[in-house]
Amino acid sequence: MKPKTKLQMEIVNGSRKLAPVSEAQKRYAYKHCFVHYFKRDAKGNCFCLDCGHTWRDKEDKKNCKCPHCGMNLKLENSRKRTAVYKEYFCVITTYKQYQVIRFFMVDCRLKKGSPANYFIIEAVQCWMNKEGKTETLSLLRGMSIFYYDAWIYGSSLELRKRNVHHDRIYDICPAVIYPRMKVIPELTRNGFKGAFYDICPSSFFMTLLTDNRMEILYKAGQMNLFLRFLERKYGIDKYWTYVKICLRHDYVIHDAVLWLDYVDMLIENKLDARNPHYLCPLNVEEAHDWVM
């Protein structure tokens, strides 16, 4: 897709100026994206699948450390001589006033008796301005009904359309996020402190930048409610009046699913759902059983 707006042109030009993945980032991805294995045969010969080193150890260990490369290894019991693993690695950085989330596909190929062969390529870039306006650049994908991430490695990063059907393709939950990250000042202002709680970084950032109610929940430490409404965004409109009462009384909701069901039953039984006596019980399970 050709860039048409001023925002798209700035993003495409900025993408070309981003630094390639560094050697330090590659080493971090190779080390932390995968579980590292070793094999043992019946004679006690051990084979490190990371560096290819072979040594003898007749003890029946499930975990060990390679005497050559020092990698912590886990026993792999299958008889397969080769294996291929793929994971996503994420680098979070900035370019001028834009937040940039870069997703890399990391390919690991293992063969008994040989060093592991790693390969890394940038598959998706998510660009976001301070208002939460998002544009996505990615590689081309192969047509498949089973896999969303069948990236064509020979293609180049280009602007792609985003809609309801494509969000699940580009909203990637990476296996590892590089710990050295840069964020725009607006995210720091809105409470971001470095933790993603196993949420896709692009969805997490866009939520903090575009929804002030979710920002309030995040800053108030109502993480259970935050995660629930992030999963089902339509629910926040229905329950926001009752959530505000809890916030005014410093009531922390630890089980969002149970508490929301409890509120529904208060309304259904025509009890005063806006009364903190009912809305902020000391024991939600007992209050839920009582209303039921």
Side-chain angles (χ1 to χ4, degrees):
M1 187 174 98
K2 292 184 178 180
K4 298 177 181 178
T5 66
K6 182 180 178 181
L7 174 66
Q8 291 176 346
M9 292 178 183
E10 287 182 354
I11 287 173
V12 170
N13 291 331
S15 177
R16 296 171 184 154
K17 298 177 183 178
L18 290 178
V21 59
S22 68
E23 291 301 319
Q25 291 169 341
K26 288 182 182 180
R27 289 194 298 269
Y28 190 90
Y30 298 159
K31 182 176 180 180
H32 293 89
C33 281
F34 306 100
V35 177
H36 299 271
Y37 295 101
F38 76 100
K39 285 182 175 288
R40 181 190 294 110
D41 62 17
K43 297 180 181 179
N45 295 316
C46 297
F47 305 87
C48 175
L49 298 182
D50 202 64
C51 69
H53 180 65
T54 304
W55 74 98
R56 290 184 63 84
D57 188 350
K58 293 187 177 181
E59 293 186 25
D60 188 14
K61 297 178 180 177
K62 301 296 182 182
N63 299 280
C64 73
K65 180 177 286 189
C66 175
H68 182 258
C69 65
M71 185 67 70
N72 292 320
L73 305 173
K74 182 179 179 181
L75 179 64
E76 214 279 301
N77 281 317
S78 72
R79 295 186 178 183
K80 295 188 299 181
R81 296 181 62 87
T82 62
V84 178
Y85 301 100
K86 294 183 179 181
E87 291 289 356
Y88 283 105
F89 174 66
C90 179
V91 175
I92 295 172
T93 185
T94 58
Y95 179 82
K96 295 184 178 178
Q97 73 272 26
Y98 296 104
Q99 183 65 56
V100 187
I101 303 132
R102 308 174 70 182
F103 296 99
F104 297 85
M105 173 68 80
V106 187
D107 187 299
C108 173
R109 298 175 184 269
L110 305 177
K111 185 176 181 180
K112 182 179 176 181
S114 302
N117 185 20
Y118 293 101
F119 171 73
I120 187 169
I121 188 170
E122 189 166 14
V124 177
Q125 285 181 6
C126 180
W127 288 68
M128 197 176 301
N129 63 11
K130 62 182 180 180
E131 287 84 25
K133 173 67 175 176
T134 303
E135 294 289 347
T136 301
L137 292 85
S138 77
L139 302 178
L140 283 172
R141 294 183 302 111
M143 297 298 293
S144 173
I145 62 174
F146 298 106
Y147 301 102
Y148 292 123
D149 52 0
W151 306 109
I152 300 175
Y153 292 158
S155 61
S156 57
L157 289 168
E158 294 181 5
L159 278 173
R160 309 293 175 191
K161 290 183 179 179
R162 287 183 69 111
N163 54 42
V164 176
H165 303 289
H166 291 91
D167 279 350
R168 53 185 173 178
I169 300 171
Y170 300 122
D171 288 345
I172 299 169
C173 290
V176 173
I177 298 175
Y178 193 59
R180 294 184 179 180
M181 59 183 76
K182 296 179 182 178
V183 296
I184 55 178
E186 288 76 15
L187 284 170
T188 305
R189 176 201 66 193
N190 289 5
F192 178 68
K193 296 180 181 178
F196 289 97
Y197 303 94
D198 295 326
I199 303 170
C200 167
S202 54
S203 296
F204 191 83
F205 284 163
M206 187 168 63
T207 299
L208 284 182
L209 290 172
T210 58
D211 194 331
N212 62 334
R213 294 176 298 181
M214 294 292 281
E215 177 192 342
I216 290 170
L217 289 178
Y218 183 73
K219 288 181 176 179
Q222 298 278 7
M223 289 310 304
N224 209 284
L225 268 182
F226 180 88
L227 298 175
R228 182 63 178 175
F229 288 143
L230 190 63
E231 180 184 349
R232 300 186 178 185
K233 295 182 179 179
Y234 58 84
I236 195 168
D237 296 325
K238 178 181 178 181
Y239 298 104
W240 184 242
T241 300
Y242 310 104
V243 171
K244 286 193 294 183
I245 296 171
C246 292
L247 294 175
R248 283 199 297 268
H249 289 81
D250 297 324
Y251 181 75
V252 179
I253 299 163
H254 298 289
D255 189 337
V257 176
L258 186 65
W259 184 82
L260 293 174
D261 188 57
Y262 169 64
V263 172
D264 286 337
M265 289 196 297
L266 287 176
I267 298 170
E268 184 179 347
N269 287 280
K270 298 181 179 180
L271 294 171
D272 187 4
R274 300 192 181 192
N275 189 333
H277 172 75
Y278 292 115
L279 203 58
C280 308
L282 294 177
N283 190 315
V284 181
E285 292 184 3
E286 290 182 1
H288 184 275
D289 293 343
W290 173 78
V291 177
M292 183 180 293

